[in-house]
Amino acid sequence: MRFSDLLRVSIRQLVRHRRRYWGVMLAIALGTAGFITIITMGRDLKQNFNRDLELLGRATIVKIYFENRPTFQHQKFETATLEALRRMPGVRSASLTVNTHWSIINNKGIEYPFTLLGVDDAFWEVCGFSPQQGKVVSFENNNLRQRVAILGPGLAGTLFDRQDVVGSTLEIQRDLYTVTGVLKDVGLGDLRHFAFIPFTTAQDRIWPISQANRIYLRCLTWDDVDKVVPLIPQVIQASQYAPGLKVEVAWDQVKRVKSVAWWVELFIYSSIAATLVLGGVGIWVVMMAAVRSRTREIGLKKAMGAEDQAIMAQFLAEAVCLSFTASLAGSLMGLVIVEVTSWLIKSHPTQELFLFCVMIGLLVAVGLGVAAGLYPSLRASRMEVVSAIRYE
Amino acid sequence: MNSQYATLLDNGPLIQVNRLSKSYSNGHGVISILRGISLEINLGEMVAVMGPSGSGKSTFLFILGLLLPASSGDYYFLGQDVLNLSRADQADFRRRRVGFVFQNCDLFENSTVYENLEFPLIYAQIERQERPEHIVAALERVNLANRLHHPANLLSGGERQRVAVARALVNQPQVILADEPTGQLDRQNGIMVMDYFNRIVSGGETSMVIVTHDPQVAARCHRVFSLEDGLLHEN
Ligand SMILES: Nc1ncnc2c1ncn2[C@@H]1O[C@H](COP(=O)(O)OP(=O)(O)OP(=O)(O)O)[C@@H](O)[C@H]1O
Ligand SMILES: [Mg+2]
C-alpha cells in the first residue's frame, strides 16, 4: 500500500467518522494547548506571579550594603556599579539609596523614630510599589529636589490619626514635605515604617545623610535569586573597591516561594500529563471499537488481497492522523492563548520557544498515536479472514 | 500475465482440485465438511455449486480463494500448487487471480462506488492516475458507469450486488468466486446479474464459480455440481 493512499484513506475515514473521534481529539488538543502555553509563557507568567507572590515576602529583593565598621565609614556605591548590577542577567531592577534616621513628634507630643530613605526612580519597581493612596509619581523626573514624601503604611498610621493623608504635610528639619502617597501594606517588611523622599532632595536638604551605601536589587524570578546572588560581589568588585560588602537575602522566603511554585508546577504538569494519558486511553478505546465495528471491512480487504501489514498500517495511520490533527488543532489553540496572555501581561515570549513547543507537541502526539494505536492495529491485522467475513 | 502460468494456459485447466477435504474442530470434536472433492475448471467456464444449507459450499469457495486452508488434498491453479504458498503470496494470489462476491454483498459503507472499486487497485499498487480507467471499465460491464461517485449506502439492492461484482472484476482476475450472488435479489435483478455473468465469461478470460440455491441460476451455468455429505457430484 502506497503512503499517499494510506494517508488519503485514513484521513477520509477520520473525516467521515468524525463524530466518533472528536471527544478524543478535544482531549489531545487541550493537552497540547496547555503544554505549549505553559512552556512558552512559563517564564513570563513566573515573573508575573512573582509580583503577586511578594505577598509571601520579599523573596526576590536583595539588599546590598556596606558593613558599618568605623574604618569603612565612607564607603559608597558608584553609579557605574549600579549600572553593572542592573545589566546582570536575571536582574529586574536595582536602586541606589541614601538614608538617615530621623524622628518626628506628633500632635500628642509622642516621638516616633523612623528611617528616611532617599530613593531614585528605580526604587518603586524594586519594592513593587503600588500606592494605597495617592498616585505613582515619579520622584526624580517630576519632583527633582522637591519636598515630597511617600510613607510606609506603618509610619502613616502612627503619624496621622486619619485615613486620608495624601496632601498632608510633614516637617523634617524645618522643611515642610507634602505627602503624595502611602504604600500598600504588602510584603514590605521593615519598609513599612520608612519614609521615602527623592534622592536628590535628600542629598540637598537633609543633614546628616549617609553616603549612597545601600542598593536594593530585585531579581526577575525566585529561580534567579540563586544564580544572581553569588555573582553580586564579583560584579561589584569588578567596578569598584568594596571592602565590608554585605549581601542580604531572605533565604527562608525564597525557599518557601520556591516550594509553593514547585507544587504549582507539579500540579500543572501532572494535569497536562493526565490529559495526554487520557487522550492516549481515548485513542486506544476508540481504535478498539473501530476495529471491532469494522471487522467485516477488514475481512473484505483481506479477501481482496490486503496484506497484514497493510491493514495494520491503515489502523495505525488512522490513530496517528487522529492524534496529529488533534495536536495541530491544540497548537493553534496554544497560539491563540499565548497571544492573548502575552497581550494581557504585556510580555514577548520568543518565537523559537513557541515553535520548539509545537514541534515537541506534534512529536508527542505522533508517539501517542503509535503507542495507543499499536495494539488495536495489531489485532486488526491478525484477524482471520473467514471469521471476519462471517462476523455479524 | 505471469510467464510462469502462460505456457500452461493452453493445455491445462485453470483450477484443478484433487481429493480436497476440510474438517473443522468445534470444541467437542472434529467435523468433516468436505471429504475428498475433485474438480477441474477451465478458463471461461461458469460452474454452479448447489447443495443444502450447511453442506460446506461457502467453505469450498473460501478454500478456492485461499481464505481458508484445506485439511488435505491438492489444489493447482494454472498448474501451480497454491495450497502451500506463504501468507504474503496468498495475499498476492487473492489480489491478482481471484475476485470475490460474498453471500451478503458487502460494500464499504460510507464510501462511494468509486472508492469501493479503488481498494483492490490500491492493494495491487496500481498507479493512481490509471485507476479511473479500470474502475469505469469494470462498472461498464455491469452497466453502472453512471453511478461512479454515488454513495454506496444509497444504492438499491440490485445495484449493490452489481457493484460487488464490478469490484470483483476490477483487477481482471482469472476466476470469480460468487457466493449466492442473487440470493438477496428479486427475480428481475437476479436475471440481470446473471446476464452480466454470462457476458463476463463469454470473453474466455475469466472463469466463475457460483454457489446458488436457485435452479434457474444454475441452469445458465455451463456445468452444475451439487455438494452433499462432503462430496461433489456433477449433475
Ligand atoms: N470455523 C468453524 N468452526 C466450526 N464449524 C464451522 C466453522 N465454519 C463453518 N462451520 C460449519 O461448517 C458447515 C459448513 O458451513 P458453510 O458456511 O460452508 O455452509 P454453506 O453450505 O455455505 O451453507 P449456507 O448455504 O447456509 O450458506 C456448517 O455446518 C458450519 O456450521
Ligand atoms: Mg454459505
Side-chain angles (χ1 to χ4, degrees):
Chain A
M1 199 168 181
R2 287 209 175 76
F3 184 69
S4 58
D5 285 323
L6 191 65
L7 209 62
R8 201 162 49 89
V9 170
S10 305
I11 290 173
R12 194 164 74 200
Q13 186 70 30
L14 287 185
V15 171
R16 296 211 175 132
H17 294 97
R18 54 191 173 275
R19 252 189 253 139
R20 184 186 288 174
Y21 297 121
W22 84 268
V24 181
M25 291 182 77
L26 192 68
I28 297 170
L30 286 179
T32 312
F35 167 77
I36 288 173
T37 311
I38 297 295
I39 304 289
T40 311
M41 301 301 297
R43 198 176 162 79
D44 298 27
L45 284 174
K46 231 183 234 178
Q47 285 179 27
N48 241 271
F49 285 151
N50 198 75
R51 219 170 292 153
D52 303 335
L53 280 174
E54 285 302 307
L55 291 168
L56 288 172
R58 301 180 301 134
T60 56
I61 298 181
V62 179
K63 188 169 140 189
I64 309 162
Y65 59 98
F66 289 109
E67 209 176 5
N68 206 7
R69 274 192 256 153
T71 35
F72 306 140
Q73 281 268 343
H74 302 296
Q75 274 300 316
K76 66 164 195 165
F77 290 110
E78 305 293 341
T79 330
T81 308
L82 183 69
E83 290 307 320
L85 287 173
R86 281 179 179 161
R87 277 195 304 271
M88 287 176 73
V91 170
R92 185 194 191 94
S93 177
S95 168
L96 188 59
T97 63
V98 289
N99 63 78
T100 189
H101 294 288
W102 193 249
S103 63
I104 277 186
I105 299 166
N106 77 351
N107 48 15
K108 288 180 189 130
I110 305 166
E111 185 178 344
Y112 289 107
F114 63 92
T115 301
L116 186 66
L117 215 56
V119 301
D120 59 11
D121 266 351
F123 185 78
W124 306 120
E125 207 187 342
V126 171
C127 78
F129 171 69
S130 47
Q132 176 190 31
Q133 295 173 26
K135 51 186 176 345
V136 188
V137 274
S138 157
F139 263 15
E140 294 302 331
N141 296 339
N142 300 329
N143 296 299
L144 202 61
R145 295 188 165 75
Q146 288 198 10
R147 283 163 291 149
V148 289
I150 284 178
L151 304 180
L155 185 62
T158 41
L159 290 184
F160 301 97
D161 298 331
R162 40 207 160 82
Q163 288 294 312
D164 184 22
V165 300
V166 172
S168 311
T169 49
L170 204 62
E171 193 192 321
I172 304 171
Q173 290 194 347
R174 287 194 209 128
D175 277 331
L176 287 181
Y177 286 76
T178 311
V179 176
T180 59
V182 178
L183 294 185
K184 233 182 213 164
D185 196 1
V186 166
L188 289 173
D190 55 351
L191 294 179
R192 289 187 83 239
H193 299 286
F194 282 25
F196 311 92
I197 61 172
F199 190 83
T200 44
T201 313
Q203 286 194 318
D204 281 8
R205 295 182 174 272
I206 308 288
W207 193 91
I209 192 85
S210 74
Q211 296 275 23
N213 61 4
R214 215 186 271 187
I215 287 179
Y216 289 92
L217 177 145
R218 180 165 169 144
C219 298
L220 278 174
T221 74
W222 50 84
D223 286 333
D224 295 311
V225 178
D226 282 344
K227 289 172 230 152
V228 168
V229 169
L231 297 177
I232 288 176
Q234 276 164 256
V235 170
I236 292 176
Q237 273 149 17
S239 93
Q240 70 171 81
Y241 177 60
L245 189 71
K246 282 272 174 196
V247 179
E248 200 176 286
V249 185
W251 287 119
D252 274 358
Q253 285 162 345
V254 174
K255 231 187 272 172
R256 214 168 351 139
V257 172
K258 272 188 171 177
S259 87
V260 169
W262 188 84
W263 282 107
V264 170
E265 263 172 51
L266 181 75
F267 173 75
I268 290 171
Y269 284 120
S270 43
S271 23
I272 291 174
T275 321
L276 289 179
V277 167
L278 221 67
V281 172
I283 293 179
W284 168 287
V285 169
V286 164
M287 291 315 290
M288 283 307 269
V291 169
R292 208 171 315 117
S293 73
R294 285 158 66 189
T295 301
R296 289 177 76 89
E297 177 193 317
I298 294 166
L300 219 52
K301 284 181 173 170
K302 286 194 163 184
M304 285 174 182
E307 285 177 28
D308 293 357
Q309 304 97 284
I311 300 292
M312 170 140 184
Q314 208 213 296
F315 279 91
L316 212 51
E318 279 180 39
V320 171
C321 282
L322 178 74
S323 57
F324 188 81
T325 321
S327 173
L328 215 56
S331 300
L332 275 180
M333 282 160 68
L335 179 65
V336 172
I337 298 173
V338 166
E339 286 294 328
V340 171
T341 342
S342 48
W343 176 74
L344 280 179
I345 67 172
K346 297 186 182 53
S347 72
H348 307 279
T350 64
Q351 202 158 5
E352 288 78 32
L353 187 61
F354 174 77
L355 290 178
F356 177 74
C357 291
V358 169
M359 293 289 291
I360 296 287
L362 292 180
L363 277 179
V364 168
V366 169
L368 202 67
V370 171
L374 199 60
Y375 179 70
S377 314
L378 206 63
R379 266 187 67 142
S381 74
R382 291 270 172 80
M383 222 167 245
E384 271 309 316
V385 194
V386 169
S387 45
I389 288 168
R390 286 192 164 158
Y391 180 88
E392 288 298 332
Chain B
M1 183 168 295
N2 200 315
S3 61
Q4 174 190 356
Y5 296 118
T7 44
L8 291 152
L9 200 59
D10 305 324
N11 32 41
L14 177 72
I15 287 172
Q16 189 178 7
V17 170
N18 298 324
R19 299 177 314 280
L20 195 79
S21 69
K22 175 72 184 174
S23 41
Y24 290 115
S25 60
N26 62 355
H28 300 292
V30 177
I31 43 169
S32 260
I33 304 297
L34 305 178
R35 297 185 293 176
I37 288 182
S38 299
L39 173 72
E40 277 184 12
I41 300 172
N42 296 311
L43 207 54
E45 237 182 343
M46 184 148 85
V47 170
V49 176
M50 301 183 76
S53 180
S55 56
K57 306 181 296 293
S58 297
T59 302
F60 181 50
L61 273 200
F62 290 150
I63 292 173
L64 287 184
L66 302 189
L67 296 183
L68 269 184
S71 302
S72 67
D74 303 318
Y75 174 12
Y76 296 97
F77 193 94
L78 288 173
Q80 191 196 13
D81 175 12
V82 289
L83 281 186
N84 300 313
L85 291 178
S86 70
R87 212 169 151 87
D89 286 340
Q90 285 183 6
D92 184 66
F93 175 86
R94 292 200 291 269
R95 271 198 296 274
R96 302 200 294 146
R97 305 289 169 200
V98 199
F100 276 102
V101 180
F102 289 105
Q103 196 159 0
N104 14 36
C105 72
D106 278 301
L107 295 185
F108 298 125
E109 306 298 331
N110 295 307
S111 304
T112 65
V113 170
Y114 183 93
E115 288 159 6
N116 264 278
L117 268 69
E118 193 187 12
F119 272 103
L121 300 174
I122 288 178
Y123 294 128
Q125 310 253 356
I126 306 286
E127 289 297 336
R128 197 169 167 199
Q129 55 270 28
E130 290 171 19
R131 291 177 200 159
E133 184 191 326
H134 291 271
I135 291 170
V136 170
L139 282 173
E140 269 168 358
R141 294 177 82 171
V142 295
N143 236 345
L144 272 179
N146 57 341
R147 290 283 191 278
L148 193 58
H149 295 293
H150 212 70
N153 332 27
L154 301 183
L155 294 170
S156 76
E159 285 169 338
R160 285 172 70 89
Q161 196 60 286
R162 280 148 70 196
V163 170
V165 172
R167 194 178 56 191
L169 279 172
V170 76
N171 267 346
Q172 294 159 304
Q174 272 115 28
V175 61
I176 289 183
L177 305 173
D179 200 346
E180 302 201 36
T182 59
Q184 294 177 1
L185 300 182
D186 60 27
R187 174 158 234 91
Q188 204 182 345
N189 272 306
I191 290 170
M192 197 194 285
V193 167
M194 285 312 293
D195 286 342
Y196 294 125
F197 281 1
N198 278 125
R199 217 174 302 157
I200 289 161
V201 292
S202 69
E205 287 171 359
T206 316
S207 305
M208 204 169 264
V209 180
I210 301 173
V211 166
T212 184
H213 281 139
D214 186 348
Q216 283 187 316
V217 168
R220 298 187 59 170
C221 295
H222 302 143
R223 288 191 289 161
V224 181
F225 294 87
S226 54
L227 183 60
E228 249 168 297
D229 298 326
L231 294 171
L232 200 63
H233 311 279
E234 183 156 6
N235 292 16

